[in-house]
Amino acid sequence: MATFFGEVVVAASRAGVDDEESAEEAREETPEDREIRRELEKKREIDVLWTLKSGASTESSADELFVCSKFIVAVGHNAAAFLSSFILDSVCWEVVGVVKLWNEWCRTSNTTTVLPTDSFCLFYRLISDPTVLLCQCSCYVAEDQQFQWLEKVFGCMQKEGLQVTILSTCPVADYKTQESTLTLPSPFLKALKTDEFKEQVCCPLLEQPNIVRDLPAA
């Protein structure tokens, strides 16, 4: 038990206990249970569908990689609404793909004709420069689906020279600072970057111990 906030405490290992519990659960699993589990795993698989000029959709293929120079991803309703209001509100963009997924909080479909209130994940391409792609991800991507989302979406793009920008939001109450959150301007913008990003950052960097979560973190 910690004696003060921030103390590092070494917890007792449960590795052996967890192995025993997993083995016991495996022994108790019936063929019907295994079939149900396989069906659920199959249902939770993510499909990335790219819309062709003919209007048809096709699943992504590793043999057909997009040449992409900039990829902007907006995760969450607020970030997706920002893209809709300030970037996509023109005829300069065309829908080129959609992500289909299913989980406890999300039911998406193959269609790219959606309402702003729907849960969806759409890809747009800049008509004047097809190497610039945007993604509006308003749907919830579960923890066990995040790696699969990344693998299938980025598996469609050439990685050389690719710059990825991710937009996301969180409540001010989650922001950790020595200042009072009541005196902070709202909303405000902070950034994280990798060592490979050599350009000027447009806003102050996010301070420790703040972190990002979920799909943006992945």
Side-chain angles (χ1 to χ4, degrees):
M1 181 176 179
T3 57
F4 62 90
F5 181 76
E7 181 182 0
V8 178
V9 179
V10 179
S13 173
R14 285 179 48 84
V17 178
D18 292 340
D19 292 342
E20 292 174 2
E21 291 177 352
S22 299
E24 185 176 350
E25 290 175 359
R27 286 195 297 269
E28 294 176 354
E29 191 177 44
T30 64
E32 291 80 8
D33 294 334
R34 287 193 291 272
E35 181 64 25
I36 293 173
R37 179 167 53 81
R38 282 194 295 266
E39 289 296 324
L40 284 174
E41 290 174 353
K42 184 177 180 181
K43 194 171 185 179
R44 294 178 74 89
E45 290 182 359
I46 291 177
D47 293 322
V48 181
L49 308 172
W50 297 101
T51 305
L52 304 177
K53 289 185 177 180
S54 61
S57 296
T58 180
E59 291 191 12
S60 58
S61 172
D63 298 329
E64 300 177 359
L65 299 178
F66 283 105
V67 178
C68 187
S69 61
K70 288 182 172 59
F71 183 42
I72 302 174
V73 186
V75 182
H77 290 285
N78 291 335
F82 175 82
L83 281 189
S84 295
S85 301
F86 295 100
I87 299 180
L88 293 172
D89 190 19
S90 67
V91 294
C92 301
W93 302 87
E94 61 179 347
V95 177
V96 294
V98 62
V99 172
K100 179 184 176 183
L101 60 87
W102 178 95
N103 57 47
E104 296 83 356
W105 301 101
C106 180
R107 308 287 190 274
T108 63
S109 64
N110 296 354
T111 182
T112 57
T113 305
V114 294
L115 298 174
T117 54
D118 290 342
S119 291
F120 64 98
C121 185
L122 293 178
F123 297 96
Y124 297 83
R125 181 171 58 189
L126 185 61
I127 296 176
S128 60
D129 185 357
T131 66
V132 178
L133 295 180
L134 298 181
C135 175
Q136 276 186 310
C137 186
S138 296
C139 57
Y140 171 74
V141 183
E143 289 186 4
D144 63 310
Q145 296 175 314
Q146 291 170 9
F147 177 77
Q148 188 183 164
W149 192 99
L150 295 170
E151 189 178 43
K152 293 195 174 183
V153 171
F154 285 96
C156 304
M157 303 176 188
Q158 292 185 3
K159 308 300 189 300
E160 186 177 357
L162 174 61
Q163 182 184 103
V164 181
T165 303
I166 302 169
L167 306 174
S168 65
T169 59
C170 68
V172 176
D174 291 345
Y175 180 62
K176 298 174 178 61
T177 177
Q178 293 181 350
E179 304 176 38
S180 170
T181 55
L182 298 176
T183 62
L184 294 172
S186 183
F188 59 90
L189 189 64
K190 298 285 184 176
L192 291 173
K193 70 179 186 68
T194 61
D195 293 336
E196 288 77 14
F197 186 80
K198 304 301 182 184
E199 298 180 18
Q200 183 69 30
V201 181
C202 64
C203 62
L205 296 178
L206 186 66
E207 309 91 344
Q208 295 182 354
N210 293 286
I211 61 173
V212 293
R213 298 180 175 86
D214 303 322
L215 187 61

